[in-house]
Amino acid sequence: MERLIEKWALSDPELPALIFAGEKITYSQLNREVNRVANGLTALGIKKGDRVAIMLPNIPEFVYSFFAILRIGAVAVPFNTLYKGGEILHILEDSGSKALISLTNFAPMINELIPELPELEHVILTGERNLIFAHPESTVFIQLILQKNQMEDLDHAYGRIGNLMLDIVRSLGVDDPWYKHRGSIRVRGDKIAAFVISEIEDMYLINVIVFLTPLDINDFLRVVWVPHEIRDKMLEPLTSVQEEAGERPSWDRIKECVTRRVEKEFGVEITDGNLVRDELFGYEKLRSLAYKDR
């Protein structure tokens, strides 16, 4: 398969092979990058039959890596970048991967796994990517796990969490937020927070995002392709706590507001604790997926 790249690089070198973020990558450029990665893998001692894992999103580096691995006769082991620690560990152990190619963003997660992967000799990192539209400081992510017996049903859960979020948003200085239907907290017609509730066995998993500072929706559209004819219908106007209250609340204030109101609503006591490994991996992924250079 990779020989087709060489064929087109010779016969029609300026023909576009990839289009990414509006930029064309020709077959000549693609072949050069594949050769560069292949030579690098060979220099590391990767040989025919070795497994090389790829933990990359849909970016040109994935294509370069995949075809470079094939070019030297090794076996590519691509997997989903949203996998958590235990899933990543299983794939790398089960495949016996000798090398892993990933984003710099994921380095903290990978470093945690290395002591448990004696066969993994090399970790190859490529540069950070602007994967999603928001800087980590622009949003706060809240996750709650509740027993189902604390709610009458899913509709009751949405209503109760909606009212809880109204209270939290008000406590951050926002006037007149309102909640009408599943999952959206609004000020006037603009969304300031959103949440979704998933059912897992006897639990409700509640994921909440609150927009703290202004977001440019065009940054989102650079990453997620949306047809022009449905953009206006699909994308909702957003606002933020900073725009509505005049300032971005500190993390301490956010923590206090959320903690107090969750304790009051559910009659529990919340104490500080450390994230377990898989929770930490999930947190680091959220931060890396939210990262955007300013």
Side-chain angles (χ1 to χ4, degrees), residues 201-260:
E201 297 179 349
D202 62 343
M203 298 177 293
Y204 286 128
L205 176 63
I206 302 155
N207 290 309
V208 180
I209 186 169
V210 181
F211 305 117
L212 300 177
T213 62
L215 301 176
D216 184 352
I217 205 66
N218 290 318
D219 288 333
F220 178 75
L221 295 175
R222 292 191 189 102
V223 179
V224 179
W225 183 81
V226 179
H228 291 284
E229 62 271 18
I230 66 169
R231 283 188 182 187
D232 292 340
K233 297 178 181 178
M234 179 179 176
L235 299 173
E236 300 181 78
L238 302 178
T239 187
S240 66
V241 174
Q242 180 175 302
E243 291 169 282
E244 300 299 329
E247 63 178 1
R248 181 200 179 282
S250 67
W251 289 118
D252 286 341
R253 184 181 173 194
I254 294 169
K255 179 180 176 180
E256 181 182 9
C257 289
V258 172
T259 300
R260 283 186 177 180

Side-chain angles (χ1 to χ4, degrees), residues 84 141-148 154 158 195-200 202-208:
K84 291 188 176 182
F141 176 75
I142 304 164
Q143 187 176 82
L144 303 173
I145 300 175
L146 302 173
Q147 294 293 323
K148 281 187 176 180
L154 189 58
Y158 267 100
F195 64 92
V196 62
I197 303 178
S198 304
E199 298 183 70
I200 303 176
D202 62 343
M203 298 177 293
Y204 286 128
L205 176 63
I206 302 155
N207 290 309
V208 180

Side-chain angles (χ1 to χ4, degrees), residues 9 16 22 36 70-71 95 99 108 133 137 149 177 209 219 233 257:
R36 185 176 64 84
L70 297 185
R71 184 160 290 184
S95 65
F133 65 103
E137 297 293 312
N149 60 17
I209 186 169
D219 288 333
K233 297 178 181 178
C257 289

Side-chain angles (χ1 to χ4, degrees), residues 29-68:
Q29 293 170 316
L30 174 58
N31 189 56
R32 183 167 60 249
E33 292 299 324
V34 170
N35 277 334
R36 185 176 64 84
V37 177
N39 291 336
L41 291 173
T42 300
L44 291 175
I46 305 298
K47 58 185 184 300
K48 184 176 181 179
D50 286 340
R51 270 67 173 172
V52 180
I54 307 175
M55 185 183 176
L56 294 173
N58 294 331
I59 58 176
E61 287 84 349
F62 179 94
V63 181
Y64 306 154
S65 300
F66 183 83
F67 285 106

Side-chain angles (χ1 to χ4, degrees), residues 104-288:
T104 303
N105 307 58
F106 300 145
M109 297 183 290
I110 296 166
N111 285 337
E112 291 285 338
L113 291 174
I114 286 176
E116 301 180 53
L117 294 165
E119 293 187 48
L120 185 66
E121 298 179 10
H122 305 287
V123 176
I124 304 153
L125 299 175
T126 185
E128 290 181 341
R129 285 282 169 180
N130 299 338
L131 299 178
I132 297 293
F133 65 103
H135 188 279
E137 297 293 312
S138 296
T139 59
V140 61
F141 176 75
I142 304 164
Q143 187 176 82
L144 303 173
I145 300 175
L146 302 173
Q147 294 293 323
K148 281 187 176 180
N149 60 17
Q150 294 179 269
M151 307 288 183
E152 295 176 7
D153 53 28
L154 189 58
D155 286 335
H156 178 243
Y158 267 100
R160 193 170 175 185
I161 297 301
N163 288 327
L164 172 64
M165 288 309 304
L166 281 178
D167 195 18
I168 290 172
V169 169
R170 288 192 192 102
S171 72
L172 295 175
V174 176
D175 294 329
D176 300 323
W178 57 276
Y179 173 70
K180 185 176 181 180
H181 60 83
R182 286 190 177 192
S184 295
I185 307 297
R186 299 178 183 275
V187 179
R188 299 174 301 280
D190 298 343
K191 185 182 292 185
I192 196 169
F195 64 92
V196 62
I197 303 178
S198 304
E199 298 183 70
I200 303 176
E201 297 179 349
D202 62 343
M203 298 177 293
Y204 286 128
L205 176 63
I206 302 155
N207 290 309
V208 180
I209 186 169
V210 181
F211 305 117
L212 300 177
T213 62
L215 301 176
D216 184 352
I217 205 66
N218 290 318
D219 288 333
F220 178 75
L221 295 175
R222 292 191 189 102
V223 179
V224 179
W225 183 81
V226 179
H228 291 284
E229 62 271 18
I230 66 169
R231 283 188 182 187
D232 292 340
K233 297 178 181 178
M234 179 179 176
L235 299 173
E236 300 181 78
L238 302 178
T239 187
S240 66
V241 174
Q242 180 175 302
E243 291 169 282
E244 300 299 329
E247 63 178 1
R248 181 200 179 282
S250 67
W251 289 118
D252 286 341
R253 184 181 173 194
I254 294 169
K255 179 180 176 180
E256 181 182 9
C257 289
V258 172
T259 300
R260 283 186 177 180
R261 281 151 185 84
V262 171
E263 287 180 333
K264 180 181 178 181
E265 178 67 26
F266 296 104
V268 296
E269 181 181 355
I270 298 175
T271 58
D272 288 338
N274 295 320
L275 296 175
V276 300
R277 189 181 69 182
D278 277 8
E279 290 172 335
L280 183 60
F281 286 165
Y283 170 75
E284 291 295 342
K285 283 181 180 177
L286 285 169
R287 286 186 63 84
S288 65

